[in-house]
């Protein structure tokens, strides 16, 4: 089963509380999500491969380690996932960014793919699927399916807040995918919102509604 990591550093929990607060305005919401994404990226990249390189310090010749190039791909699910991309790119500017667009079919309520654009070397990269809210798990599973159908094998899922229901769905469908979240909330309500959650992540991020 995929590992579930709750990135519960005090700074992340502090910022997440302000993100949840309904009185936080759009500008602050966006900035806080960006900052939490940067902090979470630290945990997500804990296992990226390093490459030994020579380095001349003012004192001596030594061998240091640098992160191997061409290793990461960020795959935000449109549209709310976009809000976490820049925060990760601040730490890993060489990451490439692909996009997956999904909408919920009004009759079946199943996610339907309307846009996919991946880096040409996506199959060689460790891909991080990004969606702030892991609610039912439907969108996350559909996005991961899309990547696997195109030959991608190294996939992680990064979310701000997850419902236990969504975690269970992803872990069952994709046991090879590790999940990183900032908080595991109580449950989903009858409308599919995470409780206590933060409301509609896309609307709060982009000031719509
Ligand atoms: N998507 C959101 O934006 N919020 C939720 O609570 C659940 C899904």
């Amino acid at each position: 089963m995929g590992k579930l990591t709750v990135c519960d550093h005090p700074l992340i929990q502090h910022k997440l509380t302000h993100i949840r607060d309904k009185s936080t305005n759009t500008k602050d919401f966006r900035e806080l999500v960006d900052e939490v994404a940067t902090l979470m990226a630290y945990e997500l990249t804990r296992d990226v491969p390093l490459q030994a390189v020579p380095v001349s310090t003012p004192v001596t010749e030594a061998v240091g380690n640098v992160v191997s190039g061409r290793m990461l791909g960020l795959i935000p699910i449109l549209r709310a996932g976009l809000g976490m991309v820049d925060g990760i790119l601040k730490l890993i500017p060489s990451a490439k960014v692909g996009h997956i667009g999904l909408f919920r079919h009004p009759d079946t309520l199943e996610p339907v793919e309307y846009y996919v654009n991946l880096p040409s070397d996506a199959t060689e990269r460790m891909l991080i699927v990004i969606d702030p809210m892991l609610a039912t798990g439907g969108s996350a599973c559909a996005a991961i399916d899309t990547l696997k159908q195109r030959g991608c094998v190294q996939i992680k899922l990064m979310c701000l807040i997850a419902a236990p229901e969504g975690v269970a769905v992803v872990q069952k469908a994709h046991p090879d995918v590790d999940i990183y979240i900032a908080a595991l909330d109580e449950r989903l309500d009858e409308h599919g919102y995470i409780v206590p959650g933060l409301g509609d992540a896309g609307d709060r991020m982009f000031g719509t509604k």
Side-chain angles (χ1 to χ4, degrees), residues 133 135 188 192-194 197-202:
M133 308 303 275
L188 290 178
Y193 277 92
I194 298 177
L198 52 71
D200 187 302

Side-chain angles (χ1 to χ4, degrees), residues 58-69:
V59 180
T60 185
E61 299 300 311
V63 177
N65 287 300
V66 293
V67 170
S68 311

